[in-house]
């Protein structure tokens, strides 16, 4: 039986020695988030803050901060849910190994929510301004809910089967929101609530929305689970929680989990949008201020003894990284059933998840050809860009499984890049989609939600040997310097400060390409990255991936040594150059407050509550 509420979960973690209680007065403005991030980076325990300045509610953080803690929280159900997922993949497996599926019928029963007339969540009412006002980064526009479970139902087909539970950004205060009456609801493209909102707009009615905080840990996991369209997350929550989720039916409103710590009830009306943000997001930059829907607040409920779970995000890895790894482990075997011909995928956390997707697929279209080239791989890549959350990927690097040596997979990033760069035909195997939708949080494109995508495919025999020695005769143009070999076949160098407008290429990079074409040995470096700080970018793979793929738009920021366009196809004779400088139109990267960091240091000093942890 899984945990039904936050307090049960925290008590179990405390009994296991995985919880530290902090009674010292802590400010929810910057300080508490800085503590959470430092403890997460140290691999530390869950945290319970009992004395939040100016707020009566305790706050809990880092509950899901380690893989081991996630496995402990869901220890009673994870294997059964994995088997249930596998059963969908291969129903005959249940006949071959029936003993492995003994819990499946019970798990299926748990998916059905249990109706209740009343629950602890309805014991008390409060207001938005009395809730914890978490501000994670110095430029954040106000207080935010960072572990919300945003619940909506299809106006055309109400009920649990047509419901959506997602983790969308919720701004409680700041900007132009009317205190206690309005809050901001930021949801990105390709999210289930968007379909419900569209139906409500078409019907000329307001969309009812409930925002749950706390309760069963399975509800939090379900809110971030990338389930196929048409599969209700609340069903998954019951399976993962090991019990039927008790839901209170509220007359005239949406149901509420009886065991939630908090619930904000409200409606989103047509034509009501207000500025939301800025907010320090999981790409490591600020999402800037843009107009998003406004939730008109109807009621705010909370249970007696309510606890406010939270996390903070920023440049990966953060606590949401653990969610991603946990979900990958659960769903890895399902990838071929969702994407025919695709064997594995890796949404790279260090690059902010959506900017870079690595994949392995089959290349079987022309098995009799003397020389194989990417064909089925392109079908595979287009499927990835057309379904589920992989559709938000910006760069897709996909390799043929048939060419990969035993033991290599796309989670071994250095070796996967080496394999790809050895085999890609730069004249043929780069496929762009321009003026298309990209992740809302990605500011590298030509406008909000709009930019380009690149399929970088490799199949067949090795095309080149990758160099590990600097090319000779490099006469770099003015402003370019500090060339460094980052990895075999990858050259990083510093470029001048970017000064162009959005949606325009920089002639300086064309001059660089012309200069590099004269260097002896440049053919051994099929990838050249231009950054603001070559030393930082080349320091390690995390820095390289973050800088290269969060700060570039494929169509705008890719240049070629020997670049050409033929019949609307772009390629490069020798090497691609990726302009990974911060652009004039990019959002600023996140930076910690030095004074706050000093206060956090004091908590880790001898006698402090975090001594020996940070």
């Amino acid at each position: 039986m899984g945990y039904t509420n936050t307090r049960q979960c925290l008590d179990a973690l405390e009994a296991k020695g995985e919880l530290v209680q902090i009674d010292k007065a802590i400010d929810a403005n910057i300080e508490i988030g800085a503590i959470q991030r430092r403890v997460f980076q140290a691999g530390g325990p869950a945290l319970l803050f009992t004395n939040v300045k100016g707020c009566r509610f305790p706050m809990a953080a880092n509950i899901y901060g380690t893989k081991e803690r996630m496995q402990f929280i869901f220890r009673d159900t994870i294997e059964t849910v994995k088997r249930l997922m596998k059963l969908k993949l291969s129903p005959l497996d249940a006949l071959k190994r029936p003993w492995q599926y003994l819990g499946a019928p019970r798990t299926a029963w748990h998916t059905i929510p249990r109706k209740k007339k009343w629950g602890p969540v309805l014991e008390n009412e409060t207001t938005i301004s009395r809730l914890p006002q978490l501000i994670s980064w110095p430029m954040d526009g106000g207080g935010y809910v960072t572990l919300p479970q945003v619940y909506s139902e299809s106006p055309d087909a109400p009920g649990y089967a047509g419901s959506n539970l997602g983790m969308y950004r919720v701004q409680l205060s700041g900007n132009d929101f009317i205190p206690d009456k309005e809050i901001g609801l930021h949801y990105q493209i390709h999210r289930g609530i968007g379909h419900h909102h569209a139906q409500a707009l078409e019907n000329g009615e307001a969309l009812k929305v409930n925002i749950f905080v706390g309760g069963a840990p399975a509800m939090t996991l379900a809110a971030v689970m990338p389930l196929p369209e048409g599969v209700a997350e609340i069903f998954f929550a019951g399976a993962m929680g090991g019990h039927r989720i008790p839901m209170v039916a509220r007359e005239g409103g949406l149901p509420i989990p009886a065991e939630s710590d908090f619930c904000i009830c409200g409606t989103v009306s047509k034509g009501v949008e207000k500025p939301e943000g800025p907010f320090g997001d999981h790409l490591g930059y600020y999402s800037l201020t843009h107009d998003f829907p406004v939730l008109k607040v109807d009621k705010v409920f909370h249970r007696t003894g309510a606890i406010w779970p939270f996390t903070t995000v920023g440049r990966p890895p953060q606590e949401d990284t653990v969610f991603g790894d946990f979900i990958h482990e659960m769903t890895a075997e399902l990838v071929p059933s969702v994407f025919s011909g695709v064997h594995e995928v890796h949404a790279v956390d260090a690059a902010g998840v959506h900017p870079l997707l690595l994949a392995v697929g089959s290349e079987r279209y022309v098995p009799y050809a003397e020389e194989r080239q990417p064909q089925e791989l392109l079908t595979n890549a287009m499927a990835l860009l057309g379904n589920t959350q992989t559709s938000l990927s910006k760069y897709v690097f996909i390799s043929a499984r048939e060419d990969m040596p035993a033991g290599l997979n796309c989670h071994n990033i250095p070796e996967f890049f080496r394999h790809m760069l050895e085999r890609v035909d730069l004249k043929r195997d780069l496929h762009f989609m321009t003026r298309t939708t990209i992740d809302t949080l990605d500011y590298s494109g030509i406008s909000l939600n709009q930019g380009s995508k690149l399929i970088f495919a490799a199949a067949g025999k090795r095309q080149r040997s990758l160099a590990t020695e600097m090319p000779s005769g490099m006469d770099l143009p003015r402003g370019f310097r500090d060339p460094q070999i980052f990895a075999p076949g990858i050259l990083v160098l510093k470029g001048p400060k970017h000064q162009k407008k959005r949606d325009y290429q920089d002639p300086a990079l064309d001059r660089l390409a012309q200069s590099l074409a004269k260097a002896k040995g440049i053919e051994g470096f099929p990838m050249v990255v231009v950054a603001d700080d070559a030393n930082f970018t080349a320091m390690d793979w995390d820095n390289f991936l973050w800088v290269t793929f969060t700060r570039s738009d494929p169509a705008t920021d890719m240049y070629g040594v020997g670049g050409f366009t033929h019949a609307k196809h772009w390629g490069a004779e020798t090497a691609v150059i990726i302009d990974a400088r911060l652009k004039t139109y990019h959002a600023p990267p996140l930076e910690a407050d030095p004074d706050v960091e000093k206060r956090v240091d004091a908590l880790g000093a001898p006698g402090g509550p975090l001594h020996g942890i940070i």
Side-chain angles (χ1 to χ4, degrees), residues 416-446:
F416 186 77
F417 262 76
R418 180 170 189 153
H419 177 84
M420 292 284 299
L421 293 177
E422 286 177 337
R423 285 165 175 77
V424 65
D425 185 335
L426 298 175
K427 298 184 293 293
R428 180 192 64 199
D429 297 337
L430 306 182
H431 302 273
F432 292 83
M433 286 188 291
T434 62
R435 310 279 168 171
T436 189
T437 52
I438 61 172
D439 185 9
T440 305
L441 304 181
D442 192 330
Y443 280 83
S444 67
I446 61 175

Side-chain angles (χ1 to χ4, degrees), residues 259-499:
E259 294 288 340
S260 281
D261 288 82
F262 299 86
C263 177
I264 303 169
C265 304
T267 54
V268 178
S269 298
K270 180 180 180 179
V272 182
E273 292 87 32
K274 285 190 174 183
E276 182 270 349
F279 178 78
D281 66 41
H282 71 267
L283 269 70
Y285 308 89
Y286 284 98
S287 293
L288 302 180
T289 302
H290 300 283
D291 286 352
F292 278 95
V294 172
L295 183 79
K296 182 180 178 182
V297 178
D298 175 32
K299 294 281 188 179
V300 182
F301 297 105
H302 72 90
R303 66 186 299 150
T304 300
I307 299 170
W308 186 270
F310 77 94
T311 189
T312 59
V313 293
R315 182 190 160 184
Q318 300 290 347
E319 188 174 4
D320 54 349
T321 300
V322 182
F323 277 110
D325 291 344
F326 187 76
I327 289 170
H328 170 75
E329 287 189 6
M330 292 185 64
T331 60
E333 288 191 67
L334 291 179
V335 169
S337 71
V338 178
F339 305 106
S340 179
V342 179
H343 303 288
E344 61 172 331
V345 296
H346 180 193
V348 180
D349 183 70
V353 181
H354 293 316
L356 177 62
L357 182 72
L358 309 182
V360 177
S362 289
E363 187 49 70
R364 304 163 296 186
Y365 275 5
V366 190
Y368 51 82
E370 183 176 341
E371 180 181 347
R372 292 189 307 108
Q373 66 183 57
Q375 295 178 85
E376 184 179 3
L377 286 185
L378 302 183
T379 301
N380 296 339
M382 294 298 289
L384 289 167
L385 290 174
N387 291 278
T388 70
Q389 290 193 30
T390 62
S391 67
L392 292 175
S393 303
K394 183 168 60 175
Y395 288 88
V396 177
F397 282 55
I398 186 165
S399 174
R401 184 173 67 169
E402 292 80 1
D403 302 320
M404 295 178 64
L408 177 60
N409 60 57
C410 60
H411 287 265
N412 185 341
I413 293 176
E415 289 303 314
F416 186 77
F417 262 76
R418 180 170 189 153
H419 177 84
M420 292 284 299
L421 293 177
E422 286 177 337
R423 285 165 175 77
V424 65
D425 185 335
L426 298 175
K427 298 184 293 293
R428 180 192 64 199
D429 297 337
L430 306 182
H431 302 273
F432 292 83
M433 286 188 291
T434 62
R435 310 279 168 171
T436 189
T437 52
I438 61 172
D439 185 9
T440 305
L441 304 181
D442 192 330
Y443 280 83
S444 67
I446 61 175
S447 66
L448 185 68
N449 293 330
Q450 189 178 26
S452 66
K453 299 177 186 292
L454 170 64
I455 297 171
F456 193 104
K461 63 183 181 181
R462 194 168 70 169
Q463 301 274 340
R464 66 184 62 80
S465 295
L466 302 182
T468 56
E469 294 184 5
M470 193 70 70
S472 61
M474 278 201 304
D475 184 16
L476 299 177
R478 183 178 180 180
F480 294 92
R481 57 186 175 87
D482 300 340
Q484 300 186 34
I485 297 172
F486 168 67
I490 303 177
L491 191 65
V492 175
L493 53 91
K494 175 181 174 62
K497 186 177 180 180
H498 183 269
Q499 295 180 330

Side-chain angles (χ1 to χ4, degrees), residues 117-137:
K117 295 182 179 180
W118 185 88
V121 68
L122 299 180
E123 288 174 338
N124 307 280
E125 289 190 36
T126 188
T127 61
I128 294 294
S129 58
R130 293 176 180 172
L131 298 175
Q133 303 291 313
L134 172 70
I135 299 176
S136 302
W137 295 96

Side-chain angles (χ1 to χ4, degrees), residues 535-558:
N535 294 324
F536 174 83
T537 304
M539 185 179 298
D540 54 39
W541 274 96
D542 281 354
N543 285 5
F544 174 80
L545 295 168
W546 183 59
V547 170
T548 302
F549 297 104
T550 64
R551 299 183 181 182
S552 64
D553 171 77
T556 306
D557 297 323
M558 188 167 285

Side-chain angles (χ1 to χ4, degrees), residues 576-603:
V576 294
I577 301 172
I578 300 176
D579 182 0
R581 297 172 296 171
L582 280 171
K583 311 301 190 298
T584 56
Y585 46 86
H586 282 184
L590 302 178
E591 294 181 357
D593 184 318
D595 292 334
V596 171
E597 294 299 320
K598 289 178 182 178
R599 296 204 297 271
V600 177
D601 289 339
L603 296 175

